[in-house]
């Protein structure tokens, strides 16, 4: 396999193309484009170049326009660009550098200068790629650690409530299914993305973290709650938000904790405003909490409780459909109608008797 660094030459003059190819081909993997459209296509290839040598003066789209387009596109924005130009005015160089080019090589080209600069810029590009890989690896490790801690905290709360950790596994996957389908919906274009879906899913295990602060006489009571006990039980949403706010005061405001607080505090709100703790309704309820509400209620319904039998999957589906616009966001119920079989498959995989 050819492991030579790759370079894209963009120039419409045969003389300079021949010169550049004679200098670079013995050392590097080289591709050629003779106009702006070809350059953009080559830069977006399956294996993009590590460096682009770009002529400024070309018919049609000039080098500045090509550079601007490449720098605006996420797929090519990180490729270093070196301009090749016969222009020597300072303003021309400034313009190119402001567009994102890393260097200028003047025509007529000096072979030793060209080779030295190409070597240097390729070395910098390789260092950048290596650093990005290291950052991604470290970020992945941090995310895994965060998820493990989050899951452990959630499992601790569920254990006090006589739940199994499979409740957390199930609800996480239910929420991901709903959020990913919602991400594809036209009304949420630009308001939801894969990163946000990951954060919402990751925060799900914290939804009942506030139950840690509830007294055993409430949390472990085998019979129905009195009105006073019900009010105390409902405070778990406040306790959970308070705990996360304490964490936030130490590490600062970050999007993940914001989403976690929304889920913890608002997942018992109802679309029609009859929920708690704030009586929020419709769009006042944070999206993450609306997703959690569907997932949490579905899982509660299909789970056996000391005061009732477990609902069948079909009964749970009917309940959620019947409560569209009352308890649940109607759009999420529509998505649920098309994905409930996936919910059922998850429930069957992670039963309370199966560690998963």
């Amino acid at each position: 396999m050819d492991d030579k660094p790759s370079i894209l030459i963009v120039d419409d003059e045969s003389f300079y193309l021949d010169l550049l190819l004679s200098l670079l081909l013995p050392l590097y993997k080289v591709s050629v484009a003779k106009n702006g459209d070809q350059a953009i296509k080559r830069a977006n290839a399956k294996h993009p170049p590590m460096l682009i040598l770009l002529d400024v003066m070309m018919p049609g789209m000039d080098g500045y326009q090509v550079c601007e387009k490449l720098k605006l596109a996420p797929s090519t924005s990180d490729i270093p660009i070196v301009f090749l130009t016969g222009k020597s005015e300072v303003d021309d160089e400034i313009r190119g550098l402001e567009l994102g080019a890393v260097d200028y090589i003047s025509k007529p080209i000096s072979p030793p200068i060209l080779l030295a600069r190409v070597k240097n810029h390729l070395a910098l590009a390789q260092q950048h790629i290596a650093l990005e890989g290291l950052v991604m690896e470290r970020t992945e490790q941090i995310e895994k650690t965060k998820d493990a801690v989050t899951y452990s905290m959630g499992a601790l709360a569920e254990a006090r409530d006589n739940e199994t950790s499979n409740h957390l596994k199930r609800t996480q996957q239910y929420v991901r299914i709903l959020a990913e389908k919602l991400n594809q919906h036209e009304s949420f274009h630009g308001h939801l993305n894969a990163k946000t879906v990951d954060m919402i899913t990751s925060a799900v295990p914290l939804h009942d973290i506030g139950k840690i602060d509830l007294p055993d006489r409430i949390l472990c009571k085998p019979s129905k709650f009195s009105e006073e006990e019900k009010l105390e039980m409902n405070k778990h949403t406040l306790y959970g938000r308070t705990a996360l706010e304490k964490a936030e005061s130490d590490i600062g405001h970050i999007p993940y904790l914001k989403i976690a607080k929304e889920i913890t505090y608002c997942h018992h709100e109802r679309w029609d405003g009859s929920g708690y703790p704030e009586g929020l309704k419709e769009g006042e309820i944070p999206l993450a909490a609306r997703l959690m509400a569907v997932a949490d209620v579905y899982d509660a319904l299909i789970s056996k409780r000391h005061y009732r039998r477990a609902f069948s999957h079909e009964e749970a589906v009917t309940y959620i459909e019947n409560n569209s616009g009352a308890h649940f966001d109607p759009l999420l119920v529509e998505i649920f109608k098309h994905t409930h079989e996936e919910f059922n498959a998850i429930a069957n995989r992670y039963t309370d008797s199966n560690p998963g």
Side-chain angles (χ1 to χ4, degrees):
M1 184 176 178
D2 189 356
D3 57 356
K4 292 180 179 179
S6 56
I7 298 173
L8 171 62
I9 301 171
V10 187
D11 202 317
D12 66 317
E13 296 183 62
S14 297
F15 171 78
Y16 282 111
L17 277 178
D18 292 341
L19 174 62
L20 291 167
L21 287 171
S22 68
L23 293 170
L24 299 173
L25 268 177
L27 302 170
Y28 307 110
K29 184 178 179 180
V30 182
S31 58
V32 172
K34 294 187 176 182
N35 57 55
D37 289 330
Q38 286 183 3
I40 292 170
K41 183 177 179 181
R42 303 275 194 279
N44 281 283
K46 183 178 180 180
H47 300 290
M50 290 183 64
L51 179 68
I52 298 174
L53 302 179
L54 177 59
D55 185 27
V56 173
M57 301 300 294
M58 294 187 296
M61 196 187 311
D62 67 20
Y64 295 129
Q65 292 170 309
V66 174
C67 180
E68 186 172 22
K69 285 182 177 292
L70 291 173
K71 291 301 175 183
L72 287 173
S75 59
T76 55
S77 61
D78 289 336
I79 303 174
I81 295 173
V82 175
F83 275 125
L84 306 173
T85 180
K87 294 185 172 186
S88 58
E89 297 294 327
V90 172
D91 288 346
D92 294 322
E93 290 195 22
I94 291 174
R95 181 184 177 190
L97 295 173
E98 286 178 342
L99 288 171
V102 296
D103 203 356
Y104 262 83
I105 296 178
S106 298
K107 295 180 178 180
I109 292 171
S110 165
I113 290 177
L114 172 81
L115 291 173
R117 291 191 177 180
V118 165
K119 181 180 178 180
N120 289 341
H121 286 300
L122 283 171
L124 289 171
Q126 288 172 323
Q127 289 177 7
H128 178 73
I129 291 170
L131 182 59
E132 279 192 330
L134 181 60
V135 170
M136 287 178 64
E137 182 181 344
R138 295 287 174 84
T139 301
E140 184 177 350
Q141 291 174 351
I142 291 170
E143 286 297 313
K144 286 181 177 179
T145 302
K146 180 200 73 180
D147 288 346
V149 172
T150 298
Y151 193 86
S152 298
M153 291 173 63
L156 179 61
E158 296 301 328
R160 287 207 64 225
D161 195 25
N162 296 317
E163 289 276 12
T164 71
S165 61
N166 279 356
H167 169 67
L168 302 181
K169 293 178 183 177
R170 293 191 298 263
T171 51
Q172 267 193 308
Q173 294 197 38
Y174 301 153
V175 166
R176 178 172 290 280
I177 288 169
L178 290 174
E180 286 179 343
K181 293 297 182 182
L182 186 64
N183 191 23
Q184 299 169 14
H185 197 277
E186 58 182 12
S187 66
F188 276 81
H189 181 69
H191 298 284
L192 193 62
N193 54 45
K195 184 177 180 181
T196 305
V197 170
D198 286 342
M199 284 195 292
I200 292 172
T201 305
S202 177
V204 163
L206 296 174
H207 68 281
D208 277 339
I209 189 68
K211 287 183 178 179
I212 291 176
D213 281 342
L214 290 175
D216 287 343
R217 64 179 176 80
I218 300 290
L219 202 57
C220 303
K221 185 178 179 180
S223 56
K224 281 188 76 172
F225 292 136
S226 66
E227 285 303 312
E228 183 181 351
E229 289 168 336
K230 189 183 297 184
L231 290 174
E232 181 63 28
M233 182 69 170
N234 291 355
K235 289 180 182 178
H236 76 276
T237 58
L238 175 60
Y239 298 152
R241 186 183 69 171
T242 300
L244 293 172
E245 284 176 339
K246 288 179 180 177
E248 197 173 42
S249 68
D250 291 333
I251 64 176
H253 299 286
I254 59 174
Y256 172 76
L257 281 179
K258 177 179 181 293
I259 288 172
K261 285 192 301 179
E262 290 173 348
I263 290 176
T264 302
Y265 190 58
C266 299
H267 69 284
H268 286 292
E269 300 286 1
R270 295 172 178 250
W271 186 255
D272 63 6
S274 63
Y276 68 88
E278 298 285 349
L280 302 178
K281 65 179 181 179
E282 300 183 5
E284 295 173 348
I285 307 169
L287 175 60
R290 302 196 316 258
L291 290 162
M292 187 69 227
V294 176
D296 197 34
V297 170
Y298 171 82
D299 202 64
L301 290 172
I302 64 167
S303 301
K304 184 180 179 181
R305 295 289 186 262
H306 57 76
Y307 52 86
R308 65 159 174 82
R309 64 174 178 82
F311 282 35
S312 68
H313 169 71
E314 291 73 20
E315 289 173 321
V317 170
T318 299
Y319 178 90
I320 289 176
E321 289 180 354
N322 288 344
N323 280 274
S324 175
H327 192 150
F328 308 112
D329 180 341
L331 177 57
L332 296 185
V333 174
E334 282 302 311
I335 293 173
F336 175 77
K337 287 179 181 179
H338 295 93
T339 58
H340 68 78
E341 290 299 340
E342 295 177 61
F343 278 53
N344 192 31
I346 291 166
N348 289 331
R349 179 181 178 186
Y350 295 105
T351 61
D352 288 337
S353 59
N354 177 15

